[in-house]
């Protein structure tokens, strides 16, 4: 976290939070209490102050690191959404429970040429790991790694004749998709 130009968020402005603000990076302090603003900006020298219960303020950040020093139970989802790809969230507080909400995936309806299946097994190779970690800088998130999938057909489109619900099927390594068009 001592890399120049990196953006750091601090959740919780108690004793540990004070220390984190003094790391010297470009620091944004997050708090649910507006009364902490003066202390964060003027006394400790934070660069920004954000009320974490203000939806508008929470949408404008993209951070490399977040140090969460809050000890009370709170949502981690808010802060995870503020991280850049490969961003790091370090929880140094001691909440009773850490909860995350699964990221929703939008799946379109089965089209006339489609086969929908329940995946029972898949292969994950090093290429999947590289793409998941954005090693080439071209990954598009959210990403679900895995290929060479095997499963059971759940539903088929009206023009599909080769497969029916209940069939066991496999999908090879590559399936054609430009990821831009609807079809």
């Amino acid at each position: 976290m001592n890399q120049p130009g990196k953006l750091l968020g601090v959740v919780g402005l108690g004793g540990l939070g004070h220390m984190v603000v003094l790391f010297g990076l470009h620091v944004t302090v997050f708090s649910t209490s507006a009364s902490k603003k003066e202390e964060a900006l003027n006394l400790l020298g934070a660069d920004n102050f954000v009320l974490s219960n203000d939806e508008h303020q929470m949408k404008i950040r993209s951070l490399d690191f977040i140090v969460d020093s809050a000890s009370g139970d709170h949502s981690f989802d808010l802060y995870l959404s503020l991280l850049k790809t490969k961003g790091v969230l370090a929880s140094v507080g001691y909440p009773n429970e850490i909860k995350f909400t699964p990221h929703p995936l939008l799946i379109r309806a089965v089209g006339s040429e489609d086969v929908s299946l329940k995946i029972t097994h898949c292969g994950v190779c090093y290429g999947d790991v590289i793409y998941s970690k954005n090693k080439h800088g071209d990954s598009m998130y959210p990403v679900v790694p895995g290929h060479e999938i095997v499963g059971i057909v759940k539903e088929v489109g009206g023009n599909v004749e080769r497969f029916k619900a209940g069939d066991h099927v496999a999908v090879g390594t590559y399936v054609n998709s430009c990821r831009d068009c609807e079809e």
Side-chain angles (χ1 to χ4, degrees), residues 29-35 49-55 57-58:
V29 172
F30 296 92
S31 179
T32 57
S33 174
S35 66
F49 180 86
V50 172
L51 282 171
S52 56
N53 51 10
D54 182 327
E55 209 173 292
Q57 289 185 39
M58 290 297 285

Side-chain angles (χ1 to χ4, degrees), residues 128-145:
D128 296 314
V129 174
I130 288 171
Y131 193 77
S132 295
K133 293 185 174 187
N134 198 26
K135 294 286 186 181
H136 297 295
D138 62 351
S139 298
M140 294 184 289
Y141 294 96
V143 63
V144 178

Side-chain angles (χ1 to χ4, degrees), residues 12 16 33 36 38 45 49 59 83 99 109 123 126-127 133 137-138 149 162 164 168:
L16 284 172
S33 174
K36 298 275 187 168
E38 175 75 22
F49 180 86
K59 289 183 179 179
L83 287 169
K99 291 183 181 180
Y126 193 65
K133 293 185 174 187
D138 62 351
I149 58 177
R162 186 171 171 191
K164 65 184 182 313
H168 290 256

Side-chain angles (χ1 to χ4, degrees), residues 110-112 114-116 153-161 163-165:
V110 175
S112 62
D114 294 338
V115 175
S116 173
V153 175
K154 294 187 332 183
E155 183 181 355
V156 297
N159 294 338
V160 175
E161 297 175 3
F163 303 103
K164 65 184 182 313

Side-chain angles (χ1 to χ4, degrees), residues 27 63 87 96 100 110 113 130 132 167:
V27 177
L63 303 167
N96 290 328
F100 300 101
V110 175
E113 305 289 329
I130 288 171
S132 295
D167 284 351

Side-chain angles (χ1 to χ4, degrees), residues 71-132:
S71 59
D73 292 339
H74 58 283
S75 171
F76 285 79
D77 294 334
L78 286 171
Y79 303 106
L80 286 172
S81 67
L82 301 177
L83 287 169
K84 292 180 180 177
T85 301
K86 293 187 178 183
V88 175
L89 173 77
S91 178
V92 296
Y94 194 66
N96 290 328
E97 194 172 19
I98 296 177
K99 291 183 181 180
F100 300 101
T101 304
H103 184 77
L105 295 176
L106 302 175
I107 300 172
R108 65 176 171 78
V110 175
S112 62
E113 305 289 329
D114 294 338
V115 175
S116 173
L117 64 135
K118 175 183 179 182
I119 298 172
T120 58
H121 301 82
C122 80
V124 176
C125 71
Y126 193 65
D128 296 314
V129 174
I130 288 171
Y131 193 77
S132 295

